């Protein structure tokens, strides 16, 4: 998969894209990520990328020309025409695990990071094919949002995680939050690992995990439960246990 990121602050990406899972995925050639500076596509000697808003008001607006020209130049250089061009903006559709799964199916994506107080609307209307928000809050720019999107997508690319199982048991991948995990020591400061996890009984462990995932989701994110496909028996068990202490 290839991801081209267009932004005004390319240095933002250096460290996060060179750590851990993403670093390894890039080294293995599973994902090719290129970061482009929109200012490189300006033509004046000050590399002006923003200007005052028509109609007045506070703040500056990112100009359309360098953004259009950057997208067009990159597409031309790569010899591609149909690529999803995704704008990161608080006004976009809400990002989620299912949006990450949908985007991970594309062989190539272009991400545009908005900045300053705004972006010329013609970019939204005539260049972007999709607009994504990572949550109902406003960041200083789209760079951190793009990193969130790239990270969530990259770990879904086959081969990126050690075993595909780790992505499929992640929180949200089955509509539920993930079950609690434990490692050694068996007793830490008097707190013991639930005995079922030491039993070696895989059926019982799987049932315990499933039930814990349901209980945790019901307590913390009841809004997600409908997507969790829980059966009648599980629902009954959940209602019986919901009020008991954790
Ligand atoms: N840019 C600024 N805030 C954002 C958000 N919440 N999501 C995506 N891009 C953004």
């Amino acid at each position: 998969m290839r991801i081209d990121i267009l932004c005004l602050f390319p240095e933002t990406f250096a460290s996060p894209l060179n750590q851990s899972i993403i670093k390894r995925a890039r080294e293995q050639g599973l994902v090719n990520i290129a970061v482009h500076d929109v200012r490189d596509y300006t033509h004046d000697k000050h590399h002006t990328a923003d200007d005052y808003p028509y109609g007045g008001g506070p703040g500056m607006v990112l100009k359309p020309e360098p953004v259009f020209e950057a997208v067009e130049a990159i597409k031309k250089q790569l010899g591609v025409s149909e690529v999803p061009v995704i704008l990161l903006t608080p006004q976009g559709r809400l990002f989620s695990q299912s949006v990450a799964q949908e985007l991970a199916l594309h062989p190539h994506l272009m991400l545009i990071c908005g900045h300053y107080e705004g972006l010329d609307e013609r970019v939204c209307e005539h260049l972007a094919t999709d607009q994504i928000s990572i949550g109902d809050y406003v960041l200083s720019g789209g760079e951190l949002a793009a990193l969130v999107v790239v990270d969530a997508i990259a770990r879904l690319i086959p081969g990126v995680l050690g075993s595909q199982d780790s992505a499929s048991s992640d929180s949200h991948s089955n509509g539920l939050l993930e079950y609690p995990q434990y490692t050694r020591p068996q007793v830490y400061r008097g707190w013991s690992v639930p005995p079922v996890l030491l039993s070696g009984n895989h059926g019982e462990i799987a049932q315990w995990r499933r039930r814990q995932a349901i209980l945790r989701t019901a307590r913390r994110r009841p809004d997600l439960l409908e997507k969790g496909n829980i059966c009648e028996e599980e629902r009954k068990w959940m209602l019986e246990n919901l009020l008991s202490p954790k």
Side-chain angles (χ1 to χ4, degrees), residues 5-233:
I5 302 170
L6 286 71
C7 65
L8 287 170
F9 299 98
E11 309 84 65
T12 313
F13 294 88
S15 171
L17 295 182
N18 280 301
Q19 314 277 348
S20 178
I21 289 171
I22 301 220
K23 179 184 185 192
R24 205 178 55 216
R26 295 176 74 195
E27 285 169 354
Q28 291 175 335
L30 295 169
V31 58
N32 179 2
I33 305 172
V35 182
H36 309 269
D37 189 341
V38 167
R39 268 184 238 280
D40 291 344
Y41 297 85
T42 55
H43 301 294
D44 63 311
K45 77 168 188 236
H46 299 294
H47 299 288
T48 313
D50 60 339
D51 208 338
Y52 296 98
Y54 275 121
M60 302 293 273
V61 176
L62 187 54
K63 292 164 68 62
E65 304 97 308
V67 185
F68 272 85
E69 288 181 35
V71 168
E72 285 159 4
I74 295 161
K75 280 186 180 178
K76 191 169 169 204
Q77 190 200 336
L78 299 173
V80 295
S81 52
E82 299 292 307
V83 184
V85 176
I86 302 167
L87 179 64
L88 282 312
T89 163
Q91 298 169 34
R93 64 182 173 126
L94 203 54
F95 191 57
S96 64
Q97 192 64 23
S98 62
V99 174
Q101 278 155 357
E102 169 201 323
L103 297 179
L105 299 175
H106 292 279
H108 187 190
L109 296 172
M110 296 182 95
L111 305 183
I112 301 176
C113 307
H115 224 280
Y116 298 98
E117 280 75 8
L119 172 71
D120 190 284
E121 185 65 18
R122 286 163 290 193
V123 172
C124 317
E125 270 190 32
H126 305 293
L127 186 63
T129 59
D130 195 358
Q131 301 188 35
I132 287 181
S133 163
I134 63 159
D136 292 337
Y137 40 80
V138 180
L139 303 166
S140 310
E143 282 82 0
L144 293 177
L147 279 167
V148 167
V149 168
V150 167
D151 191 286
I153 293 174
R155 59 205 308 292
L156 297 175
I157 297 171
V160 166
L161 294 186
S163 85
Q164 274 314 101
D165 282 352
S166 357
S168 56
S169 69
D170 276 348
S171 287
H172 300 293
S173 60
N174 63 359
L176 297 173
L177 301 184
E178 198 184 5
Y179 50 77
Q181 298 265 36
Y182 295 87
T183 186
R184 286 186 286 186
Q186 200 176 313
V187 182
Y188 179 65
R189 298 191 177 187
W191 299 306
S192 300
V193 171
V196 60
L197 298 178
L198 312 172
S199 68
N201 184 328
H202 297 298
E204 277 186 24
I205 292 172
Q207 186 192 54
W208 182 85
R209 286 178 165 166
R210 168 90 184 153
R211 287 180 166 181
Q212 291 301 312
I214 291 169
L215 206 52
R216 176 171 278 194
T217 308
R219 284 181 173 141
R220 300 182 189 174
R221 294 291 306 276
D223 58 303
L224 296 179
L225 263 194
E226 286 319 308
K227 279 196 287 174
N229 279 328
I230 59 176
C231 71
E232 226 13 78
E233 187 215 322

